[in-house]
């Protein structure tokens, strides 16, 4: 009994998971406690729609989430399987690079940390690229994707996400500009090398921290 712990034992995997979460917690989240509205932003009470101008028709029935790449346990969920996962409710602010911000958005969905526990990123996984049904992509460092208030949201203000706002499921990463929060989520790819997405190859900043005003790639 005491001779060895197999590398794939439940204990080893759990400890590896804690180690990874520790790495996430070392934190790149730079949101200051004392400054809610980032520089150059103004508040809006309505919720503008911003996208490439194509609303892809994806019903909850047809929606699938495909999670693949540098992970131990690929995930492929129907909407029913997705919504059967542990539910989180997070309230957070939206900051769009076009300078509007909207406070106190209530989201329901799956915390990205729960997704990470399910798919088990490999030790060499460092980046995530989100793929959407309209052809949009965006990239995040794993630490940013794993932020404590980031989630795959299916509802806003207690109601299913409307299709214009990215339903059935969108990403929400509140501490970065909202272009990182992919609507109409289709797949999540874990990568060992960074792969800049749609706006990131078109002059927008690779990370997009609103408090550092990381709007454009030369900032
Ligand atoms: N799939 C997809 N996600 C996307 C976009 C897009 O064009 N396609 N636009 C991004 C941008 S620039 C912003 S500001 C937000 C806007 O989300 P909203 O329309 O719900 O306000 O979605 C982001 N996610
Ligand atoms: Mo945006």
């Amino acid at each position: 009994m005491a001779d060895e712990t197999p590398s794939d034992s439940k204990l080893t995997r759990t400890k590896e998971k804690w180690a990874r979460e520790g790495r996430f917690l070392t934190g790149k989240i730079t949101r200051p406690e004392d400054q809610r509205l980032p520089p150059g932003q103004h508040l809006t009470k309505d919720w503008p729609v911003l996208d490439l101008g194509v609303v892809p028709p994806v019903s909850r029935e047809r929606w699938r989430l495909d999670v693949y790449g540098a992970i131990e346990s690929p995930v492929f969920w129907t909407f029913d399987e997705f919504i059967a996962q542990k539910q989180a409710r997070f309230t957070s602010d939206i900051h769009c690079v076009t300078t509007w911000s909207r406070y106190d958005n209530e989201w329901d969905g799956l915390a990205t940390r729960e997704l990470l526990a399910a798919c088990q990123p490999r030790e060499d996984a460092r980046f995530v690229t989100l793929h959407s049904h309209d052809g949009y992509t965006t990239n995040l460092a794993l630490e940013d994707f794993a932020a404590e208030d980031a989630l795959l949201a299916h509802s806003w203000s207690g109601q299913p996400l409307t299709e214009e706002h990215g339903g059935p499921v969108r990403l929400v990463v509140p501490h970065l500009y909202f272009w990182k929060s992919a609507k109409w989520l289709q797949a999540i790819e874990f990568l060992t090398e960074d792969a800049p997405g749609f706006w990131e190859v078109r002059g927008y900043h690779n990370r997009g921290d609103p408090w550092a005003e990381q709007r454009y790639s030369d900032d």
Side-chain angles (χ1 to χ4, degrees), residues 130-213:
L130 292 310
H131 299 267
S132 296
H133 281 280
D134 59 343
Y136 186 80
T137 57
T138 190
N139 59 307
L140 294 156
L142 187 51
E143 288 85 351
D144 284 321
F145 179 77
E148 61 185 352
D149 54 1
L151 79 168
L152 312 184
H154 56 72
S155 293
W156 176 85
S157 284
Q159 299 298 320
L161 260 186
T162 60
E163 61 177 14
E164 63 181 357
H165 286 301
V169 178
R170 76 177 300 159
L171 185 68
V172 177
V173 177
H175 72 286
L176 298 178
Y177 283 124
F178 209 36
W179 87 76
K180 295 288 186 180
S181 293
K183 309 203 281 192
W184 311 297
L185 196 55
Q186 180 173 32
I188 305 176
E189 180 181 9
F190 287 78
L191 297 162
T192 57
E193 306 287 338
D194 202 3
F198 185 89
W199 289 120
E200 292 83 4
V201 299
R202 288 171 174 80
Y204 284 81
H205 197 278
N206 198 54
R207 178 155 187 253
D209 175 356
W211 289 273
E213 277 209 85

Side-chain angles (χ1 to χ4, degrees), residues 50 96-98 179:
L50 278 105
C96 175
V97 72
T98 62
W179 87 76

Side-chain angles (χ1 to χ4, degrees), residues 78-124:
T78 64
F79 188 82
D80 287 346
E81 290 166 332
F82 167 74
I83 211 154
Q85 308 299 312
K86 185 177 175 192
Q87 294 294 297
R89 173 168 287 176
F90 295 150
T91 298
S92 58
D93 301 341
I94 296 172
H95 306 296
C96 175
V97 72
T98 62
T99 76
W100 59 269
S101 292
R102 189 182 188 287
Y103 286 167
D104 293 324
N105 298 277
E106 185 187 83
W107 307 100
D108 291 297
L110 177 70
T112 55
R113 288 189 177 195
E114 294 293 333
L115 179 77
L116 293 169
C119 73
Q120 300 269 319
R122 291 193 334 230
E123 286 303 322
D124 59 350

Side-chain angles (χ1 to χ4, degrees), residues 10 18 30 37 57-58 60 70 86 123 137 146 155 158 185 208 214:
K10 193 159 184 238
W18 293 134
T30 50
L37 191 67
V58 195
R60 285 186 166 188
K86 185 177 175 192
E123 286 303 322
T137 57
S155 293
L185 196 55
Q214 293 174 340

